Amino acid sequence: MPSDRTGRRRRTRIGTWSAVTALALAVAGLATTPASAADVNNARNAGFESGLGNWTCTAASGTTASSPVHSGSSALKATPAGQDNAQCTQSVAVKPNSTYSLSGWVQGGYTYLGVTGTGTTDVSTWTPDTASWKQLSTTFTTGASTTSVTVYTHGWYGQAAYYADDISVYGPDGGGGGDPAPTVPAAPAGLTVSGTTSSSVTLSWSAVSGATGYDVYRNGTKVTAVTGTSATITGLTASTSYSFQVTATNSAGESAKSGTVTGTTAATGGGGGGGGSLPKHAVTGYWQNFNNGAKVQKISDVPSAYDIIAVAFADATTTPGAVSFNLDSAGLGGYTVDQFKADIKAKQAAGKKVIISIGGQNGTVSISDSASAANFANSVYSLMQTYGFDGVDIDLENGLNATYMTQALRSLSSKAGSSLIITMAPQTIDMQSTSNTYFQTALNIKDILTVVNMQYYNSGSMLGCDGKVYSQGSVDFLTALACIQLEGGLSPSQVGLGLPASTSGAGSGYVSPTVVNNALDCLSKGTGCGTFKPSKTYPDLRGAMTWSTNWDATSGNAWSNAVGAHVHAMP
């Protein structure tokens, strides 16, 4: 979230990462190459059916578990503790000058899968914590004299236990024995349409044991291949129905096709559908409904540079999913509810939007079923009617359930209409992958979503869209991470850069307004870049966000004067 009630958003667990360590561990996105018919799985006890046989785990961190398992009756469970990351390894016999496909299924905490001693380039891949089984996969080529490699899994320091199952090193038989070669997988089950826009359909399905990938068919024609259990099909026509099927694949072949589902694209939209009369490029600022040492403001005090004012924060109630709002009149120097409402109307008359932010220290809201989703939508709509809010900001500290948050926001949209403003303020880790629930939610509501203002602070080092690791506080950190959202399915008009207004606004990650403006120029025009330069420009980039208008005012509005003017001058 942008902040708790102390004015400094709590440091995330990722803040202790070092760029050097992360770079050594995280090389993601490498495609797998199907093995030939004579290839075998050179890993032994790949499914942990023989306990930890052939595997060695550091600091006694590993054991086997009967649940959850991906297949068979056992899976590896490894628990990081203290300075141990729960690494489990196996020496695997291989042939020189050969290409191998490395894959495994993981669940639970942060999990890495990799290989060392290849004689060429060691590789690895990883995933953030995941509530269901997810396949990790990559490839490697052995050197001229390489006869064995070390395959490893590990978690991350201080994080939850991870589970791993069905590890495979498919390629030429290295002579060390191994598990049987794969058989053709079963057809995927559970194919559903999980989201639509005017130009795309998002699909999801259940994992298939033994599959290393999936092919997606539209109207009988293969349109994409993926390694995970979801896909977004783009470039579609508005108001059009399409049929979809999925097959599972591995080195043995392709399964039969799944059942057929129909996805119908939205009539209009294609991203940025929500937002009413917002300018093409907009600035968002959080307004503090509490006094934490920053300059106390009324809504009328917020500078005109801010196009969206997010009132922080709504409060949870005893009703699951429901929220309320209580103006801190005493803490704000006697600011009355009537004045507050009148100031909102005045801002709206000036073309601004005022929304209610869900989050903060007292804003822990759990939406985990249809009932709480309905409570959320009803209570937010009630606040909109009572105070005149234009919409809602989703800024939940403890994560969210993509299925039911999507349901809640679509219900709210049906009540409020097309002028509804919906913004989101996830942490950097929440937008590293389209499989993360925040990212999934954003894509699910793309047709009614206004903007995602990811927080580029209190973060530590993170992966950019090029697979390299960048440290916060630089132009590259802003541009390379924004690229993940821009290339991951959000429209440029739905992407904003969230930064602190001053060093007091966050524990770390403050950059000068000049750095913010350079990042905006790099993404929208290709100028002002650091070492990272996106492969294309995004002239429709929405703009920027800051925590908070109060901390900005404490610093003489230096942030909004510089960044606001720059955003509004973007073509």
Side-chain angles (χ1 to χ4, degrees):
M1 73 191 72
S3 173
D4 63 16
R5 302 274 168 130
T6 67
R8 294 176 182 268
R9 187 178 68 79
R10 298 170 184 153
R11 180 177 298 277
T12 69
R13 59 193 176 191
I14 305 303
T16 58
W17 285 25
S18 72
V20 174
T21 301
L23 179 58
L25 295 175
V27 179
L30 300 178
T32 58
T33 303
S36 68
D39 290 342
V40 300
N41 181 7
N42 291 273
R44 291 162 292 170
N45 190 24
F48 302 93
E49 302 303 313
S50 300
L52 294 181
N54 304 111
W55 293 91
T56 300
C57 299
T58 57
S61 57
T63 185
T64 54
S66 58
S67 179
V69 297
H70 179 253
S71 68
S73 59
S74 296
L76 169 68
K77 177 182 180 182
T79 307
Q83 296 302 306
D84 178 63
N85 63 0
Q87 178 165 284
C88 297
T89 61
Q90 180 181 144
S91 178
V92 177
V94 293
K95 282 188 174 182
N97 295 321
S98 300
T99 298
Y100 291 85
S101 173
L102 171 66
S103 68
W105 291 86
V106 298
Q107 181 175 328
Y110 287 70
T111 315
Y112 295 75
L113 173 68
V115 59
T116 61
T118 62
T120 56
T121 301
D122 295 343
V123 299
S124 66
T125 181
W126 71 290
T127 184
D129 47 340
T130 174
S132 58
W133 287 104
K134 178 179 181 179
Q135 187 180 41
L136 298 177
S137 58
T138 183
T139 60
F140 65 92
T141 301
T142 56
S145 59
T146 303
T147 58
S148 69
V149 297
T150 299
V151 173
Y152 66 84
T153 63
H154 70 72
W156 197 249
Y157 307 99
Q159 303 306 306
Y162 70 89
Y163 297 84
D165 204 357
D166 297 332
I167 307 298
S168 60
V169 185
Y170 281 110
D173 189 348
D179 288 354
T183 58
V184 175
L191 179 62
T192 60
V193 175
S194 55
T196 61
T197 71
S198 61
S199 61
S200 69
V201 171
T202 299
L203 306 167
S204 61
W205 55 90
S206 301
V208 176
S209 178
T212 57
Y214 301 90
D215 292 341
V216 181
Y217 290 80
R218 183 187 70 217
N219 296 342
T221 301
K222 179 181 172 180
V223 290
T224 191
V226 297
T227 57
T229 55
S230 64
T232 298
I233 312 305
T234 60
L236 307 180
T237 303
S239 301
T240 303
S241 295
Y242 298 87
S243 64
F244 296 94
Q245 294 172 292
V246 179
T247 61
T249 62
N250 63 16
S251 58
E254 181 179 12
S255 74
K257 291 179 180 178
S258 69
T260 301
V261 298
T262 299
T264 303
T265 51
T268 58
S277 59
L278 274 176
K280 178 180 179 181
H281 304 293
V283 178
T284 301
Y286 285 82
W287 176 85
Q288 298 178 187
N289 178 40
F290 49 89
N291 183 353
N292 65 346
K295 185 173 182 178
V296 172
Q297 290 182 317
K298 297 180 174 64
I299 292 292
S300 57
D301 297 328
V302 177
S304 60
Y306 291 100
D307 303 290
I308 303 175
I309 302 168
V311 172
F313 295 98
D315 298 309
T317 72
T318 56
T319 301
V323 297
S324 63
F325 177 73
N326 301 286
L327 186 69
D328 185 10
S329 296
L332 303 181
Y335 194 22
T336 69
V337 171
D338 287 341
Q339 289 175 312
F340 178 71
K341 293 179 180 179
D343 287 347
I344 290 175
K345 287 184 178 180
K347 283 293 183 183
Q348 292 166 333
K352 311 301 180 182
K353 303 294 182 180
V354 183
I355 62 178
I356 182 65
S357 180
I358 311 300
Q361 181 176 319
N362 297 329
T364 302
V365 179
S366 177
I367 302 172
S368 56
D369 53 30
S370 294
S372 55
N375 292 338
F376 178 88
N378 291 336
S379 62
V380 172
Y381 186 59
S382 177
L383 294 181
M384 292 175 64
Q385 293 177 305
T386 300
Y387 294 96
F389 296 129
D390 294 288
V392 65
D393 171 65
I394 305 302
D395 183 20
L396 295 176
E397 177 179 345
N398 297 317
L400 48 79
N401 181 303
T403 298
Y404 294 111
M405 179 55 78
T406 297
Q407 188 178 114
L409 293 174
R410 289 207 172 276
S411 176
L412 178 61
S413 176
S414 68
K415 299 174 184 293
S418 61
S419 63
L420 176 69
I421 302 286
I422 300 177
T423 68
M424 301 176 73
Q427 301 171 93
T428 52
I429 190 64
D430 295 323
M431 302 299 285
Q432 282 275 282
S433 166
T434 54
S435 66
N436 289 8
T437 54
Y438 249 108
F439 212 141
Q440 288 176 2
T441 302
L443 294 175
N444 288 351
I445 63 164
K446 184 177 175 182
D447 55 313
I448 57 173
L449 174 66
T450 306
V451 63
V452 174
N453 292 304
M454 189 174 77
Q455 304 168 39
Y456 293 81
Y457 49 95
N458 292 347
S459 169
S461 301
M462 285 286 154
L463 286 170
C465 66
D466 56 355
K468 296 180 180 179
V469 176
Y470 295 94
S471 300
Q472 67 177 4
S474 66
V475 169
D476 289 334
F477 186 73
L478 306 183
T479 55
L481 269 67
C483 174
I484 297 175
Q485 300 170 62
L486 292 162
E487 294 301 310
L490 294 181
S491 296
S493 64
Q494 295 173 316
V495 176
L497 308 181
L499 283 308
S502 72
T503 55
S504 299
S508 63
Y510 171 78
V511 297
S512 71
T514 299
V515 173
V516 181
N517 292 342
N518 286 342
L520 292 169
D521 286 345
C522 177
L523 293 168
S524 63
K525 299 187 294 185
T527 62
C529 301
T531 58
F532 172 82
K533 189 169 184 177
S535 59
K536 61 181 178 180
T537 58
Y538 308 91
D540 291 336
L541 190 76
R542 178 62 82 175
M545 171 275 279
T546 197
W547 177 269
S548 64
T549 66
N550 304 74
W551 286 117
D552 186 26
T554 305
S555 300
N557 293 318
W559 194 92
S560 58
N561 286 340
V563 177
H566 195 85
V567 167
H568 296 138
M570 292 170 65

PDB file of all heavy atoms in Angstrom, residues 163-189:
ATOM      1  N   TYR A 163       7.013 -26.713  -1.962  1.00  0.00           N
ATOM      2  CA  TYR A 163       6.846 -28.095  -2.372  1.00  0.00           C
ATOM      3  C   TYR A 163       7.335 -28.232  -3.815  1.00  0.00           C
ATOM      4  O   TYR A 163       7.147 -27.318  -4.630  1.00  0.00           O
ATOM      5  CB  TYR A 163       5.383 -28.523  -2.284  1.00  0.00           C
ATOM      6  CG  TYR A 163       4.815 -28.492  -0.874  1.00  0.00           C
ATOM      7  CD1 TYR A 163       4.324 -27.323  -0.329  1.00  0.00           C
ATOM      8  CD2 TYR A 163       4.787 -29.652  -0.100  1.00  0.00           C
ATOM      9  CE1 TYR A 163       3.818 -27.283   0.962  1.00  0.00           C
ATOM     10  CE2 TYR A 163       4.277 -29.641   1.185  1.00  0.00           C
ATOM     11  CZ  TYR A 163       3.795 -28.448   1.717  1.00  0.00           C
ATOM     12  OH  TYR A 163       3.296 -28.414   2.988  1.00  0.00           O
ATOM     13  N   ALA A 164       7.958 -29.361  -4.112  1.00  0.00           N
ATOM     14  CA  ALA A 164       8.407 -29.635  -5.477  1.00  0.00           C
ATOM     15  C   ALA A 164       8.098 -31.085  -5.811  1.00  0.00           C
ATOM     16  O   ALA A 164       8.122 -31.959  -4.934  1.00  0.00           O
ATOM     17  CB  ALA A 164       9.900 -29.358  -5.615  1.00  0.00           C
ATOM     18  N   ASP A 165       7.814 -31.331  -7.077  1.00  0.00           N
ATOM     19  CA  ASP A 165       7.452 -32.680  -7.504  1.00  0.00           C
ATOM     20  C   ASP A 165       7.754 -32.828  -8.983  1.00  0.00           C
ATOM     21  O   ASP A 165       7.831 -31.826  -9.723  1.00  0.00           O
ATOM     22  CB  ASP A 165       5.967 -32.940  -7.227  1.00  0.00           C
ATOM     23  CG  ASP A 165       5.622 -34.425  -7.094  1.00  0.00           C
ATOM     24  OD1 ASP A 165       6.528 -35.256  -7.270  1.00  0.00           O
ATOM     25  OD2 ASP A 165       4.459 -34.731  -6.810  1.00  0.00           O
ATOM     26  N   ASP A 166       7.931 -34.064  -9.409  1.00  0.00           N
ATOM     27  CA  ASP A 166       8.086 -34.409 -10.830  1.00  0.00           C
ATOM     28  C   ASP A 166       9.181 -33.576 -11.498  1.00  0.00           C
ATOM     29  O   ASP A 166       8.950 -32.923 -12.525  1.00  0.00           O
ATOM     30  CB  ASP A 166       6.751 -34.242 -11.562  1.00  0.00           C
ATOM     31  CG  ASP A 166       5.688 -35.195 -11.036  1.00  0.00           C
ATOM     32  OD1 ASP A 166       6.070 -36.277 -10.554  1.00  0.00           O
ATOM     33  OD2 ASP A 166       4.497 -34.857 -11.073  1.00  0.00           O
ATOM     34  N   ILE A 167      10.374 -33.621 -10.910  1.00  0.00           N
ATOM     35  CA  ILE A 167      11.532 -32.951 -11.506  1.00  0.00           C
ATOM     36  C   ILE A 167      11.993 -33.756 -12.713  1.00  0.00           C
ATOM     37  O   ILE A 167      12.093 -34.994 -12.650  1.00  0.00           O
ATOM     38  CB  ILE A 167      12.684 -32.839 -10.489  1.00  0.00           C
ATOM     39  CG1 ILE A 167      12.201 -32.191  -9.191  1.00  0.00           C
ATOM     40  CG2 ILE A 167      13.842 -32.068 -11.092  1.00  0.00           C
ATOM     41  CD1 ILE A 167      11.692 -30.779  -9.348  1.00  0.00           C
ATOM     42  N   SER A 168      12.299 -33.113 -13.803  1.00  0.00           N
ATOM     43  CA  SER A 168      12.719 -33.845 -15.000  1.00  0.00           C
ATOM     44  C   SER A 168      13.910 -33.165 -15.666  1.00  0.00           C
ATOM     45  O   SER A 168      13.988 -31.939 -15.720  1.00  0.00           O
ATOM     46  CB  SER A 168      11.562 -33.963 -16.000  1.00  0.00           C
ATOM     47  OG  SER A 168      11.118 -32.689 -16.405  1.00  0.00           O
ATOM     48  N   VAL A 169      14.831 -34.012 -16.154  1.00  0.00           N
ATOM     49  CA  VAL A 169      15.991 -33.555 -16.928  1.00  0.00           C
ATOM     50  C   VAL A 169      15.989 -34.385 -18.204  1.00  0.00           C
ATOM     51  O   VAL A 169      16.700 -35.380 -18.337  1.00  0.00           O
ATOM     52  CB  VAL A 169      17.305 -33.750 -16.143  1.00  0.00           C
ATOM     53  CG1 VAL A 169      18.473 -33.150 -16.934  1.00  0.00           C
ATOM     54  CG2 VAL A 169      17.220 -33.106 -14.768  1.00  0.00           C
ATOM     55  N   TYR A 170      15.148 -34.010 -19.151  1.00  0.00           N
ATOM     56  CA  TYR A 170      14.956 -34.804 -20.361  1.00  0.00           C
ATOM     57  C   TYR A 170      15.994 -34.444 -21.412  1.00  0.00           C
ATOM     58  O   TYR A 170      16.260 -33.279 -21.694  1.00  0.00           O
ATOM     59  CB  TYR A 170      13.555 -34.601 -20.928  1.00  0.00           C
ATOM     60  CG  TYR A 170      12.517 -35.406 -20.182  1.00  0.00           C
ATOM     61  CD1 TYR A 170      11.582 -34.774 -19.387  1.00  0.00           C
ATOM     62  CD2 TYR A 170      12.499 -36.798 -20.257  1.00  0.00           C
ATOM     63  CE1 TYR A 170      10.634 -35.505 -18.675  1.00  0.00           C
ATOM     64  CE2 TYR A 170      11.568 -37.539 -19.544  1.00  0.00           C
ATOM     65  CZ  TYR A 170      10.640 -36.880 -18.759  1.00  0.00           C
ATOM     66  OH  TYR A 170       9.725 -37.604 -18.051  1.00  0.00           O
ATOM     67  N   GLY A 171      16.550 -35.495 -21.973  1.00  0.00           N
ATOM     68  CA  GLY A 171      17.545 -35.337 -23.011  1.00  0.00           C
ATOM     69  C   GLY A 171      18.242 -36.657 -23.241  1.00  0.00           C
ATOM     70  O   GLY A 171      17.804 -37.715 -22.759  1.00  0.00           O
ATOM     71  N   PRO A 172      19.362 -36.655 -23.937  1.00  0.00           N
ATOM     72  CA  PRO A 172      20.095 -37.897 -24.198  1.00  0.00           C
ATOM     73  C   PRO A 172      20.455 -38.631 -22.914  1.00  0.00           C
ATOM     74  O   PRO A 172      20.789 -38.010 -21.903  1.00  0.00           O
ATOM     75  CB  PRO A 172      21.347 -37.398 -24.931  1.00  0.00           C
ATOM     76  CG  PRO A 172      20.917 -36.120 -25.582  1.00  0.00           C
ATOM     77  CD  PRO A 172      19.966 -35.491 -24.613  1.00  0.00           C
ATOM     78  N   ASP A 173      20.373 -39.937 -22.936  1.00  0.00           N
ATOM     79  CA  ASP A 173      20.627 -40.762 -21.760  1.00  0.00           C
ATOM     80  C   ASP A 173      22.084 -40.625 -21.333  1.00  0.00           C
ATOM     81  O   ASP A 173      23.001 -40.967 -22.072  1.00  0.00           O
ATOM     82  CB  ASP A 173      20.323 -42.223 -22.098  1.00  0.00           C
ATOM     83  CG  ASP A 173      20.358 -43.131 -20.875  1.00  0.00           C
ATOM     84  OD1 ASP A 173      20.832 -42.679 -19.815  1.00  0.00           O
ATOM     85  OD2 ASP A 173      19.901 -44.280 -21.003  1.00  0.00           O
ATOM     86  N   GLY A 174      22.278 -40.107 -20.124  1.00  0.00           N
ATOM     87  CA  GLY A 174      23.633 -39.927 -19.627  1.00  0.00           C
ATOM     88  C   GLY A 174      24.225 -41.178 -19.028  1.00  0.00           C
ATOM     89  O   GLY A 174      25.385 -41.163 -18.592  1.00  0.00           O
ATOM     90  N   GLY A 175      23.450 -42.257 -18.941  1.00  0.00           N
ATOM     91  CA  GLY A 175      23.968 -43.514 -18.448  1.00  0.00           C
ATOM     92  C   GLY A 175      23.835 -43.684 -16.948  1.00  0.00           C
ATOM     93  O   GLY A 175      24.281 -44.698 -16.399  1.00  0.00           O
ATOM     94  N   GLY A 176      23.212 -42.743 -16.303  1.00  0.00           N
ATOM     95  CA  GLY A 176      23.091 -42.842 -14.851  1.00  0.00           C
ATOM     96  C   GLY A 176      21.764 -43.385 -14.395  1.00  0.00           C
ATOM     97  O   GLY A 176      21.444 -43.340 -13.202  1.00  0.00           O
ATOM     98  N   GLY A 177      20.976 -43.878 -15.313  1.00  0.00           N
ATOM     99  CA  GLY A 177      19.644 -44.339 -14.930  1.00  0.00           C
ATOM    100  C   GLY A 177      18.719 -43.158 -14.778  1.00  0.00           C
ATOM    101  O   GLY A 177      19.109 -42.005 -14.905  1.00  0.00           O
ATOM    102  N   GLY A 178      17.488 -43.425 -14.508  1.00  0.00           N
ATOM    103  CA  GLY A 178      16.528 -42.343 -14.367  1.00  0.00           C
ATOM    104  C   GLY A 178      15.125 -42.850 -14.399  1.00  0.00           C
ATOM    105  O   GLY A 178      14.884 -44.059 -14.445  1.00  0.00           O
ATOM    106  N   ASP A 179      14.189 -41.960 -14.372  1.00  0.00           N
ATOM    107  CA  ASP A 179      12.786 -42.338 -14.401  1.00  0.00           C
ATOM    108  C   ASP A 179      12.359 -42.648 -15.829  1.00  0.00           C
ATOM    109  O   ASP A 179      12.996 -42.209 -16.794  1.00  0.00           O
ATOM    110  CB  ASP A 179      11.928 -41.211 -13.827  1.00  0.00           C
ATOM    111  CG  ASP A 179      12.104 -41.101 -12.318  1.00  0.00           C
ATOM    112  OD1 ASP A 179      12.780 -41.955 -11.739  1.00  0.00           O
ATOM    113  OD2 ASP A 179      11.559 -40.145 -11.740  1.00  0.00           O
ATOM    114  N   PRO A 180      11.280 -43.354 -15.997  1.00  0.00           N
ATOM    115  CA  PRO A 180      10.835 -43.718 -17.345  1.00  0.00           C
ATOM    116  C   PRO A 180      10.544 -42.488 -18.195  1.00  0.00           C
ATOM    117  O   PRO A 180      10.195 -41.425 -17.689  1.00  0.00           O
ATOM    118  CB  PRO A 180       9.556 -44.523 -17.089  1.00  0.00           C
ATOM    119  CG  PRO A 180       9.679 -44.997 -15.676  1.00  0.00           C
ATOM    120  CD  PRO A 180      10.420 -43.927 -14.959  1.00  0.00           C
ATOM    121  N   ALA A 181      10.698 -42.656 -19.484  1.00  0.00           N
ATOM    122  CA  ALA A 181      10.348 -41.582 -20.410  1.00  0.00           C
ATOM    123  C   ALA A 181       8.856 -41.282 -20.311  1.00  0.00           C
ATOM    124  O   ALA A 181       8.060 -42.137 -19.903  1.00  0.00           O
ATOM    125  CB  ALA A 181      10.705 -41.999 -21.835  1.00  0.00           C
ATOM    126  N   PRO A 182       8.453 -40.073 -20.658  1.00  0.00           N
ATOM    127  CA  PRO A 182       7.046 -39.695 -20.481  1.00  0.00           C
ATOM    128  C   PRO A 182       6.128 -40.383 -21.467  1.00  0.00           C
ATOM    129  O   PRO A 182       6.543 -40.847 -22.517  1.00  0.00           O
ATOM    130  CB  PRO A 182       7.080 -38.181 -20.735  1.00  0.00           C
ATOM    131  CG  PRO A 182       8.227 -37.996 -21.679  1.00  0.00           C
ATOM    132  CD  PRO A 182       9.256 -38.989 -21.234  1.00  0.00           C
ATOM    133  N   THR A 183       4.868 -40.435 -21.093  1.00  0.00           N
ATOM    134  CA  THR A 183       3.820 -40.883 -21.988  1.00  0.00           C
ATOM    135  C   THR A 183       2.992 -39.672 -22.385  1.00  0.00           C
ATOM    136  O   THR A 183       3.067 -38.614 -21.760  1.00  0.00           O
ATOM    137  CB  THR A 183       2.913 -41.918 -21.306  1.00  0.00           C
ATOM    138  OG1 THR A 183       2.353 -41.330 -20.115  1.00  0.00           O
ATOM    139  CG2 THR A 183       3.712 -43.157 -20.929  1.00  0.00           C
ATOM    140  N   VAL A 184       2.221 -39.803 -23.437  1.00  0.00           N
ATOM    141  CA  VAL A 184       1.387 -38.692 -23.892  1.00  0.00           C
ATOM    142  C   VAL A 184       0.433 -38.297 -22.766  1.00  0.00           C
ATOM    143  O   VAL A 184      -0.255 -39.160 -22.199  1.00  0.00           O
ATOM    144  CB  VAL A 184       0.589 -39.085 -25.152  1.00  0.00           C
ATOM    145  CG1 VAL A 184      -0.368 -37.965 -25.542  1.00  0.00           C
ATOM    146  CG2 VAL A 184       1.544 -39.396 -26.292  1.00  0.00           C
ATOM    147  N   PRO A 185       0.364 -37.012 -22.414  1.00  0.00           N
ATOM    148  CA  PRO A 185      -0.482 -36.598 -21.283  1.00  0.00           C
ATOM    149  C   PRO A 185      -1.962 -36.657 -21.620  1.00  0.00           C
ATOM    150  O   PRO A 185      -2.355 -36.759 -22.782  1.00  0.00           O
ATOM    151  CB  PRO A 185      -0.042 -35.155 -21.032  1.00  0.00           C
ATOM    152  CG  PRO A 185       0.506 -34.685 -22.337  1.00  0.00           C
ATOM    153  CD  PRO A 185       1.134 -35.891 -22.982  1.00  0.00           C
ATOM    154  N   ALA A 186      -2.760 -36.594 -20.572  1.00  0.00           N
ATOM    155  CA  ALA A 186      -4.215 -36.566 -20.740  1.00  0.00           C
ATOM    156  C   ALA A 186      -4.666 -35.191 -21.209  1.00  0.00           C
ATOM    157  O   ALA A 186      -3.937 -34.197 -21.092  1.00  0.00           O
ATOM    158  CB  ALA A 186      -4.887 -36.908 -19.413  1.00  0.00           C
ATOM    159  N   ALA A 187      -5.870 -35.122 -21.736  1.00  0.00           N
ATOM    160  CA  ALA A 187      -6.433 -33.841 -22.162  1.00  0.00           C
ATOM    161  C   ALA A 187      -6.702 -32.966 -20.946  1.00  0.00           C
ATOM    162  O   ALA A 187      -7.155 -33.464 -19.910  1.00  0.00           O
ATOM    163  CB  ALA A 187      -7.717 -34.062 -22.946  1.00  0.00           C
ATOM    164  N   PRO A 188      -6.441 -31.668 -21.040  1.00  0.00           N
ATOM    165  CA  PRO A 188      -6.693 -30.772 -19.902  1.00  0.00           C
ATOM    166  C   PRO A 188      -8.177 -30.720 -19.551  1.00  0.00           C
ATOM    167  O   PRO A 188      -9.046 -30.820 -20.419  1.00  0.00           O
ATOM    168  CB  PRO A 188      -6.205 -29.410 -20.414  1.00  0.00           C
ATOM    169  CG  PRO A 188      -5.237 -29.738 -21.507  1.00  0.00           C
ATOM    170  CD  PRO A 188      -5.780 -30.967 -22.160  1.00  0.00           C
ATOM    171  N   ALA A 189      -8.434 -30.566 -18.266  1.00  0.00           N
ATOM    172  CA  ALA A 189      -9.802 -30.403 -17.768  1.00  0.00           C
ATOM    173  C   ALA A 189      -9.947 -29.013 -17.159  1.00  0.00           C
ATOM    174  O   ALA A 189      -8.958 -28.328 -16.886  1.00  0.00           O
ATOM    175  CB  ALA A 189     -10.122 -31.466 -16.733  1.00  0.00           C
TER     176      ALA A 189
END
